Amino acid sequence: MNPVRKKRLYIVLAILCGVSIAVALALTALQENINLFYTPSQIANGEAPVDTRIRAGGLVQEGSVKRSADSLEVDFIVTDGAHGVTIRYQGILPDLFREGQGIVALGRVNEEGVLVADEVLAKHDENYMPPEVMQALEKSGMMQQHEAATAGKKTYQQESAQ
């Protein structure tokens, strides 16, 4: 083989190896940071991986919020209409957090099936709901209940303002 061709071959092989290593590192980094969304039904059925960071969402069940008297720990139940999952959060909840509210929690499911959240996100206005939560509520048929409750709150707020 010609020395010039040999040199070109080595250069092409070196570039291919470099690109392959860069792609492998990028895929590894992305795989570690991916947060898959699970509904309360999927978590209750054991489909969510234990001790892996996930996102879970649904509506905060009425009467389920329990605050610790001596710390910032809060336990509440999130439901999609079919099942509920207990979420334990240590910290200050968002201002818009309330019962009947659509939320998304990021955390890890422990062996007991409780989601230990490190972040809780609440919707920012009456019209927005995270797409994953909306799809889960539509599948379970709970979306109509949520819309009826939201419409009732709007009517109450309008009557209070007058």
Side-chain angles (χ1 to χ4, degrees):
M1 185 184 284
N2 187 336
V4 174
R5 280 188 172 173
K6 201 177 218 180
K7 187 176 180 181
R8 284 183 191 160
L9 179 64
Y10 288 141
I11 291 172
V12 169
L13 288 175
I15 290 171
L16 285 175
C17 286
V19 169
S20 299
I21 291 171
V23 168
L25 289 174
L27 290 176
T28 303
L30 288 174
Q31 189 173 9
E32 289 177 7
N33 292 326
I34 215 165
N35 295 324
L36 298 176
F37 181 84
Y38 290 91
T39 64
S41 294
Q42 289 173 317
I43 295 171
N45 293 336
E47 295 175 31
V50 176
D51 289 331
T52 301
R53 193 161 195 258
I54 64 167
R55 292 184 304 153
L59 298 177
V60 178
Q61 187 172 321
E62 298 287 335
S64 69
V65 179
K66 294 176 181 64
R67 298 178 188 273
S68 173
D70 59 345
S71 70
L72 292 176
E73 186 171 296
V74 180
D75 287 356
F76 55 93
I77 297 174
V78 171
T79 183
D80 61 0
H83 293 91
V85 65
T86 301
I87 296 182
R88 183 167 296 135
Y89 179 66
Q90 178 78 27
I92 299 173
L93 289 168
D95 291 338
L96 297 174
F97 178 89
R98 64 180 178 272
E99 293 176 352
Q101 174 81 28
I103 64 112
V104 173
L106 287 88
R108 300 175 191 278
V109 177
N110 63 16
E111 295 79 21
E112 301 155 7
V114 175
L115 180 77
V116 180
D118 51 52
E119 188 175 0
V120 174
L121 307 170
K123 68 180 187 177
H124 66 278
D125 70 10
E126 292 297 322
N127 300 320
Y128 176 75
M129 183 175 294
E132 298 94 345
V133 174
M134 190 176 297
Q135 289 171 353
L137 291 176
E138 286 172 353
K139 282 182 186 176
S140 69
M142 188 128 172
M143 191 64 184
Q144 291 81 13
Q145 280 182 315
H146 175 67
E147 288 172 351
T150 303
K153 287 179 186 175
K154 284 182 183 178
T155 304
Y156 174 76
Q157 289 172 349
Q158 290 171 350
E159 290 173 0
S160 298
Q162 294 174 354

